[in-house]
Amino acid sequence: MQILPRKTLTQFLIEERRRYPDATGDFNALILDVAMACKQIARTIAVGALGEVQVADAGAINVQGEVQQRLDVLSNEVFLRVNEWGGHLAGMASEELEFPYPIPPHYPRGKYLLAFDPLDGSSNLDVNVSVGSIFSVLRAPERCIDGKESEVIEQDFLQQGYQQVAAGYALYGPSTMFVLTVGNGVSAFTLDPNLCEFFLTHANLTVPEETHEFAINASNSRFWEAPVKRYISECLAGKTGPRGKDFNMRWIASMVAEAHRILMRGGVFMYPRDNRNLDKAGRLRLLYEANPIAFIMEQAGGRASTGRQSILSVQPSSLHQRIGVILGSKNEVERIERYYTDPPGIELPDPLFNERGLFRTPA
Ligand code: AHG
Ligand code: MN
Ligand code: MN
């Protein structure tokens, strides 16, 4: 028999825990439950239209006013069922639920909170393009843990991103991966579908500081703020422009997949605040999309910003709050932040924003 050459996620967590002799094991058990939820979702996605769950949309609209796919609903159920029983959580919050989910009274309550996007990029499902799940672990307030009366409320989740205990995502791509930070670097695990185990394949991931690749939905360009227009126009100007080098562009429409590419080879991802709908401060949600991915990026030496401040320093004001997101290779994100702080009235380089330019603003 061949001995397995790699560490499993379980072994990795046990070895990490040895560094904290007082740890109870609750945290490890929670992460393994989250990983189990991801494995179940991965299995359902992997069989596509052959499975019992059709990938076509459920014809429903979620609390965010967005089209809900059947797999959004199913993945949410999987996350709730697999994580509610273990006694590690005081409550959960999901993109698909308007209010926080309290742990049912017949289960013990634990000291952590879990916020998640059960399926990210779900508009990619019917075209068989990568999707993922994103999660964030926070500490629960004392009053919610076992034996105490009080249930979790929205306020309990409104913690700044730097207070996260752990964050991660699963990527359901050509292979399924589980990427985790516990505030001590970033590790990535690949699912062996035969053993149904995650194995450590990428230790201490680091995001290259320099890049020549950016990701943005350019169909929103007419709504972009001036610093974003300036940055993108400079990238597009290539070798002969102010940056003096050519850039490449990608857009998958699944932040998990974009974040993963950036972790692997660098780049910058932007879903910035824009002027399309001034009531919404961006497209992505702070608590279960932006914060966990920002934590991972910063733990890998990258940077995550709204353009105006570090994402991890934003004080959340509501459970489903949206936020502008600019993340990835540090030098690029810092450059964009400088464009935000530069005085207004910056000269935009021709010809991209002039009358006939690619990204001109209509009168
Ligand atoms: P979700 O599927 O959870 O609603 O999230 C999709 C998000 C994000 O992953 C992606 O970057 C963005 O929406 C894509 O938006 P556009 O369709 O505007 O490109
Ligand atoms: Mn999402
Ligand atoms: Mn989602």
Side-chain angles (χ1 to χ4, degrees):
M1 188 186 75
Q2 199 193 345
I3 303 291
L4 298 170
R6 293 180 185 279
K7 259 185 218 181
T8 63
L9 175 61
T10 310
Q11 186 180 352
F12 171 86
L13 290 169
I14 289 171
E15 289 180 4
E16 282 288 298
R17 189 184 143 208
R18 286 191 188 133
R19 299 190 297 121
Y20 304 95
D22 294 338
T24 58
D26 265 351
F27 175 78
N28 283 5
L30 168 61
I31 298 299
L32 290 174
D33 282 349
V34 172
M36 173 56 83
C38 296
K39 285 193 272 192
Q40 287 198 21
I41 297 168
R43 188 183 55 181
T44 306
I45 287 172
V47 291
L50 292 174
E52 287 166 25
V53 184
Q54 296 302 302
V55 291
D57 79 63
I61 301 290
N62 71 6
V63 290
Q64 329 263 339
E66 290 165 350
V67 172
Q68 210 172 26
Q69 313 274 340
R70 279 182 214 285
L71 280 174
D72 283 322
V73 179
L74 179 95
S75 305
N76 184 55
E77 283 296 310
V78 169
F79 255 83
L80 295 178
R81 295 294 86 76
V82 175
N83 290 295
E84 68 185 351
W85 64 276
H88 322 301
L89 291 174
M92 294 183 248
S94 165
E95 179 189 308
E96 306 300 337
L97 299 174
E98 187 168 3
F99 302 110
Y101 178 84
I103 298 303
H106 48 283
Y107 294 129
R109 274 189 261 160
K111 55 180 184 260
Y112 297 107
L113 300 175
L114 183 68
F116 55 85
D117 175 355
L119 210 48
D120 179 61
S122 58
S123 69
N124 282 329
L125 280 170
D126 46 3
V127 289
N128 198 13
V129 170
S130 297
V131 290
S133 303
I134 313 174
F135 66 93
S136 163
V137 180
L138 298 164
R139 284 189 199 286
E142 274 291 315
R143 39 161 266 281
C144 301
I145 62 177
D146 209 27
K148 310 266 170 85
E149 285 306 304
S150 190
E151 283 190 344
V152 281
I153 55 170
E154 176 175 16
Q155 201 64 34
D156 299 327
F157 288 86
L158 307 185
Q159 304 182 29
Q160 286 162 301
Y162 71 77
Q163 293 182 281
Q164 291 171 103
V165 175
Y169 62 81
L171 174 68
Y172 313 118
S175 57
T176 292
M177 293 192 70
F178 188 79
V179 176
L180 177 70
T181 183
V182 294
N184 180 28
V186 179
S187 310
F189 303 80
T190 304
L191 184 68
D192 179 328
N194 295 320
L195 292 168
C196 288
E197 276 285 359
F198 283 112
F199 286 89
L200 180 65
T201 47
H202 302 71
N204 301 319
L205 281 169
T206 51
V207 177
E209 289 188 353
E210 296 288 344
T211 183
H212 56 267
E213 199 160 66
F214 67 91
I216 192 163
N217 183 341
S219 71
N220 297 323
S221 60
R222 66 190 184 284
F223 304 114
W224 292 341
E225 296 179 318
V228 175
K229 285 187 175 175
R230 175 184 175 187
Y231 177 76
I232 298 297
S233 69
E234 288 180 3
C235 292
L236 293 174
K239 261 202 183 93
T240 53
R243 300 298 306 273
K245 62 177 181 178
D246 289 337
F247 279 76
N248 188 22
M249 198 197 86
R250 288 284 183 274
W251 187 250
I252 308 174
S254 165
M255 186 177 58
V256 165
E258 319 267 10
H260 193 71
R261 183 188 62 247
I262 291 170
L263 267 184
M264 293 295 143
R265 69 177 189 208
V268 60
F269 167 86
M270 309 174 77
Y271 215 126
R273 181 185 188 140
D274 62 31
N275 303 316
R276 179 171 29 176
N277 183 347
L278 292 172
D279 296 341
K280 289 185 182 165
R283 164 85 165 83
L284 299 165
R285 278 58 53 112
L286 175 58
L287 289 179
Y288 42 80
E289 292 181 316
N291 267 345
I293 300 291
F295 190 21
I296 288 170
M297 279 299 147
E298 301 228 338
Q299 282 294 314
R303 169 122 183 111
S305 172
T306 67
R308 297 175 168 89
Q309 72 180 108
S310 153
I311 286 178
L312 297 178
S313 72
V314 173
Q315 174 58 52
S317 56
S318 65
L319 200 60
H320 299 291
Q321 176 181 353
R322 293 175 191 260
I323 194 98
V325 172
I326 298 166
L327 54 78
S329 294
K330 198 168 181 210
N331 292 348
E332 292 301 301
V333 177
E334 285 177 352
R335 169 184 285 272
I336 300 162
E337 288 180 302
R338 284 198 301 278
Y339 290 3
Y340 271 89
T341 50
D342 272 359
I346 318 149
E347 278 293 303
L348 293 170
D350 283 337
L352 292 151
F353 284 96
N354 70 13
E355 256 321 281
R356 291 170 166 275
L358 187 56
F359 290 140
R360 72 189 185 280
T361 309

